[in-house]
Amino acid sequence: MDYKDTHVTTNVCGTIGHIAPEYLSTGKSSEKTDVFAYGIMLLEIITGQRAFDLARLASDDDIMLLDWVKGMLRERRLDRLVDPELQSNYEETEVEELIQVALLCTQNSPMERPKMADVVRMLEGDGLAERWDEWQKVEVMRNTDQDHVPRHPDWISESTSNVHPVELSGPR
């Protein structure tokens, strides 16, 4: 898909939890909506959980996997993030890198998400550290500008719970 091409629809289709915030609020899809869904899919593979799970509400406040992952990272609970089926049979640094890629893919702003070609390069070990450091600096600045005090200066600050809807111009 040409990066300038988009598609607008009045019926938003997709799997709950995989739908990018801008597509949900505007009906406008782009290559970046697919990047968001890819990031969610990575998180599902890492955690062994579904993107949207009402059962998670019983034990946590978050029914969206993305919010739950960010909460676990804030608490530095990487051990709870990884699918228990793996039985500690994984490289912790590789899991951390995959989570970083997934979080870069699931940023609220589509303009800030990487292109899939960049995602492939990051998965191959090229440029992830620099991009992650850059993202963290932007997050610290964003939080400082908003609150004058950084709330979460390290891993996470965005959440799907604070996405502001975009008002449509009217019925289509």
Side-chain angles (χ1 to χ4, degrees):
M1 178 177 197
D2 185 352
Y3 75 95
K4 293 179 183 174
D5 291 341
T6 61
H7 176 73
V8 177
T9 181
T10 55
N11 292 333
V12 174
C13 298
T15 305
I16 295 175
H18 289 254
I19 302 171
E22 72 278 5
Y23 179 53
L24 190 60
S25 65
T26 67
K28 189 174 183 180
S29 68
S30 69
E31 68 177 3
K32 298 299 181 106
T33 56
D34 291 337
V35 171
F36 183 91
Y38 181 78
I40 296 296
M41 183 201 64
L42 278 179
L43 293 177
E44 286 183 318
I45 291 171
I46 294 164
T47 63
Q49 297 184 37
R50 294 179 184 262
F52 177 81
D53 189 0
L54 289 172
R56 198 170 24 251
L57 191 57
S59 59
D60 295 294
D61 291 336
D62 300 310
I63 58 172
M64 301 300 284
L65 178 61
L66 181 57
D67 292 333
W68 181 79
V69 167
K70 289 178 179 183
M72 290 295 105
L73 290 174
R74 264 188 230 109
E75 297 172 16
R76 305 255 183 231
R77 298 293 315 267
L78 186 65
D79 58 312
R80 282 201 55 205
L81 283 178
V82 180
D83 186 347
E85 296 282 322
L86 293 176
Q87 300 175 352
S88 300
N89 189 16
Y90 60 88
E91 291 292 325
E92 193 171 310
T93 55
E94 289 179 6
V95 169
E96 287 177 5
E97 289 173 356
L98 283 174
I99 291 170
Q100 290 173 1
V101 170
L103 292 176
L104 289 170
C105 289
T106 56
Q107 295 179 80
N108 282 334
S109 170
M111 299 303 290
E112 294 174 4
R113 293 179 207 141
K115 294 181 178 183
M116 279 309 296
D118 295 330
V119 171
V120 170
R121 281 192 285 281
M122 288 187 285
L123 291 172
E124 292 173 342
D126 183 22
L128 174 60
E130 298 82 12
R131 190 150 189 156
W132 183 250
D133 289 342
E134 179 183 317
W135 180 77
Q136 287 185 303
K137 288 176 189 173
V138 168
E139 287 306 301
V140 169
M141 292 303 294
R142 183 177 291 141
N143 289 332
T144 302
D145 289 345
Q146 287 177 357
D147 301 334
H148 304 292
V149 176
R151 289 178 301 200
H152 305 291
D154 12 61
W155 280 80
I156 312 302
S157 69
E158 293 180 355
S159 170
T160 56
S161 63
N162 64 9
V163 175
H164 301 289
V166 176
E167 188 172 322
L168 297 175
S169 58
R172 295 197 163 50

